[in-house]
Amino acid sequence: MKILLASGEVHPYSKTGGLGDMVGALGKALAREGHQVGLITPLYAGIRERFPAIQPFDWVLNLPLGGRRVAGKVCTLEPVPGLTIYFIDQPEFYLRPGLYQNGGFDYHDNAERFIFLSKAVAHLARHLPWKPELVHVHDWQAALVPLLINHEKSSGGWTNPPRTCLTIHNLAYQGQFPVTKFPVTNLPWSYFKPEGAEFYGQLNCLKSGIFFADAVSTVSPRYAREVTTPELGCGLDGLLRRRQSQLSGILNGVDYDEWNTLNNPFLKHAYSVDNLSGKSANKAALQEELGLPANEKIPLFGSVNRLVDQKGVDIQLTALEEALGGEMQFILLGSGDPKYEQGYRDLAHRHPTKVAVRIGHDQGLSHRIEAGSNFFILPSRFEPCGLNQMYSLRYGTVPIVRATGGLNDTVIDLTENAASANGIKFTEFSPAALGKALRKALALYAEPELHRHYQRNGMTADFSWTRTAQVYADLYQKVLAG
Ligand code: ADP
Ligand code: GLC
């Protein structure tokens, strides 16, 4: 098949969270399966410098954006055979310190930046000489594409355009903008209605994608069910229920080329399920790196996260305060809401020999925390898929998760199946319930044999992309046949 993907972030070029990981890995996995794959994403600051093999592409963009026309260039990279990344080079929009915001504030022109991206996607989908059959867009940043394609089909003379899929990685981010931004799309006002791009008087990019895409998917089966409920539907559950027959949940895969413990440039010591001594050595190295007493006996809890409400930071801070009365250590890497960043700094200040906190984004340290910790804490309010718990499983680090979304689909608690148990789950969203789960972890750590059993189950679980890519290919086939 000839598939064009589009996303506001793609690892290893750009990333704020799992969206980048997922789309980067999906592109590679589809190409490996023999499909022809293009992937469109912005050329953000620093990408060209980090990837000198990026080539200019003989294509000039000059697209209407409201009352003006905006020019741009395209450049390309072929990281693996069969996959071409098309970077949209528009310095005014994309050469900025952050992807979507700076200093905690969204850029004032995010509507223009990502409507431009979506227009570039529709334009390339129409004019690339290899004629993609299917366009698969991800999250709100590219979610206007199905509508733009649909409009060109009905009134722009585009006969036989590609079919479209939208994957929702997180329904809480919808790309909502004031009505005054609608003209930036240059679409007729007839689309600005409840049966279209309008949502409570605003332009809603994700809603328009849910409405106009041929198929909609989310990143785990359970989240696909949860988004149709008022609790987790973020106001769009009604529309998602209406589209239920085109809605599916496909669990993300893990890029084991990168997330592995045997051949990993970020880890000092290699290890495997048959030889865990390297894991202990990584733990000692991590404790040393972050200035905590290096002691194998003390259970080490890790966390790498965007510090936002979704991730349950509030209950984590409260539960940790109590748990830190016992013998344990805790390491956090994250950034986000200033009040949560301060909360962790204060925690470290109060428990200097037990808690180490690094505020910022650090890929290498994220691997070292996954590898060096004994437990990984993920108490999310909701979690569309979650990748960290799958990384933890592969790294022999027992995940402690709230039973929601993809966390619930991937982690198995002792109470569900003792033979396959690989993590600790709790259900109620409260510090007390998380606190109880932390105590269970301490008890597990005191039982080395049972702990090994969890590690073995986790490290041998297989979330590889080969299977996931095949499920996407099946979905594309179905859409093309429909
Ligand atoms: P989400 O996409 O909601 O943030 P996921 O679990 O799907 O959650 O993906 C998070 C990804 O982002 C993981 O690869 C994780 O390691 C990475 N990540 C999050 N915060 C940081 C950070 N501060 N430094 C490095 N990597 C981070
Ligand atoms: C989103 C979700 C996360 C998911 C990731 C990749 O950021 O919050 O749960 O793993 O996308 O699909």
Side-chain angles (χ1 to χ4, degrees):
M1 272 177 282
K2 295 186 287 182
I3 304 147
L4 186 62
L5 307 174
S7 170
E9 54 192 88
V10 180
H11 181 71
Y13 317 104
S14 54
K15 160 170 164 179
T16 63
L19 168 66
D21 285 358
M22 187 281 189
V23 180
L26 174 65
K28 278 201 301 181
L30 289 169
R32 206 181 293 136
E33 295 302 304
H35 302 290
Q36 178 169 359
V37 187
L39 202 176
I40 302 182
T41 193
L43 186 73
Y44 295 111
I47 297 179
R48 202 195 295 269
E49 293 72 15
R50 284 187 293 122
F51 296 89
I54 289 176
Q55 299 286 326
F57 184 58
D58 188 16
W59 203 276
V60 176
L61 297 170
N62 187 339
L63 303 170
L65 202 68
R68 59 181 177 145
R69 292 193 80 85
V70 174
K73 291 186 202 147
V74 181
C75 43
T76 60
L77 184 70
E78 196 180 323
V80 294
L83 171 65
T84 305
I85 316 280
Y86 296 90
F87 292 100
I88 305 302
D89 180 7
Q90 213 306 325
E92 180 201 332
F93 284 154
Y94 305 128
L95 288 194
R96 302 196 183 173
L99 268 52
Y100 313 120
Q101 45 173 243
N102 192 19
F105 293 100
D106 283 354
Y107 293 124
H108 72 280
D109 57 350
N110 273 348
E112 285 81 356
R113 298 171 75 224
F114 292 100
I115 292 171
F116 182 78
L117 176 71
S118 300
K119 288 188 170 213
V121 174
H123 175 85
L124 287 167
R126 184 166 185 173
H127 298 288
L128 279 173
W130 55 274
K131 299 244 167 285
E133 299 161 85
L134 189 131
V135 179
H136 180 182
V137 298
H138 296 263
D139 271 355
W140 73 265
Q141 297 90 331
L144 275 179
V145 172
L147 167 55
L148 294 169
I149 291 181
N150 199 66
H151 177 62
E152 283 191 50
K153 182 185 177 187
S154 58
S155 57
W158 190 1
T159 49
N160 206 15
R163 309 304 299 266
T164 55
C165 292
L166 164 72
T167 293
I168 302 169
H169 293 256
N170 194 333
L171 196 61
Y173 300 90
Q174 300 182 358
Q176 282 216 66
F177 300 102
V179 54
T180 47
K181 296 290 184 182
F182 184 72
V184 178
T185 65
N186 300 89
L187 288 164
W189 280 100
S190 55
Y191 289 111
F192 194 76
K193 58 180 180 193
E195 303 287 296
E198 186 260 357
F199 188 64
Y200 291 102
Q202 296 207 305
L203 165 63
N204 186 317
C205 297
L206 193 68
K207 181 192 170 197
S208 121
I210 297 172
F211 207 87
F212 288 100
D214 294 310
V216 178
S217 70
T218 66
V219 285
S220 69
R222 195 171 299 255
Y223 191 60
R225 296 195 291 277
E226 291 172 344
V227 291
T228 62
T229 65
E231 296 73 46
L232 291 177
C234 301
L236 294 176
D237 45 294
L239 174 59
L240 286 157
R241 281 195 298 278
R242 274 171 56 195
R243 298 233 54 200
Q244 204 140 26
S245 59
Q246 288 89 28
L247 175 67
S248 56
I250 302 175
L251 192 73
N252 286 335
V254 171
D255 188 344
Y256 290 128
D257 292 346
E258 216 167 289
W259 290 93
N260 76 80
T261 56
L262 276 173
N263 179 19
N264 186 327
F266 297 118
L267 301 185
K268 272 204 184 118
H269 308 278
Y271 65 98
S272 68
V273 65
D274 299 320
N275 183 359
L276 284 167
S277 58
K279 182 162 175 73
S280 307
N282 281 315
K283 175 176 173 179
L286 178 66
Q287 288 168 318
E288 207 167 298
E289 177 180 353
L290 294 187
L292 294 177
N295 183 340
E296 170 63 20
K297 290 214 177 74
I298 304 177
L300 174 57
F301 293 71
S303 187
V304 179
N305 239 334
R306 293 185 294 116
L307 302 181
V308 294
D309 290 341
Q310 174 195 344
K311 301 295 180 179
V313 184
D314 43 355
I315 65 168
Q316 182 162 322
L317 276 165
T318 312
L320 278 171
E321 189 67 61
E322 195 190 305
L324 283 161
E327 193 176 47
M328 63 172 281
Q329 293 175 343
F330 172 71
I331 288 177
L332 169 109
L333 167 65
S335 65
D337 190 326
K339 74 171 183 284
Y340 292 141
E341 293 184 353
Q342 196 52 44
Y344 279 116
R345 283 199 192 96
D346 293 346
L347 191 75
H349 193 70
R350 284 194 296 275
H351 304 274
T353 58
K354 293 184 170 177
V355 176
V357 166
R358 292 291 177 275
I359 301 297
H361 200 94
D362 184 336
Q363 204 192 339
L365 184 56
S366 73
H367 283 260
R368 290 194 291 281
I369 292 177
E370 283 283 10
S373 304
N374 302 113
F375 298 95
F376 200 93
I377 314 177
L378 285 154
S380 304
R381 256 191 181 80
F382 68 94
E383 195 61 73
C385 178
L387 295 170
N388 275 311
Q389 81 282 11
M390 295 196 264
Y391 302 154
S392 303
L393 289 171
R394 181 48 63 110
Y395 280 44
T397 302
V398 177
I400 301 168
V401 305
R402 181 154 175 270
T404 181
L407 298 175
N408 206 356
D409 280 344
T410 50
V411 174
I412 304 167
D413 190 83
L414 194 72
T415 54
E416 293 174 289
N417 185 332
S420 325
N422 60 19
I424 296 168
K425 272 189 200 174
F426 66 98
T427 302
E428 188 187 282
F429 186 80
S430 70
L434 172 57
K436 194 168 160 199
L438 296 177
R439 286 194 296 280
K440 281 189 185 171
L442 296 176
L444 180 64
Y445 198 66
E447 280 192 65
E449 238 172 71
L450 187 60
H451 184 205
R452 285 283 167 281
H453 172 70
Y454 276 61
Q455 287 183 303
R456 212 172 302 117
N457 284 338
M459 294 179 86
T460 51
D462 185 6
F463 297 106
S464 61
W465 262 100
T466 322
R467 185 197 57 84
T468 308
Q470 187 52 50
V471 183
Y472 276 105
D474 293 345
L475 173 69
Y476 301 155
Q477 291 286 11
K478 205 170 113 194
V479 169
L480 289 174

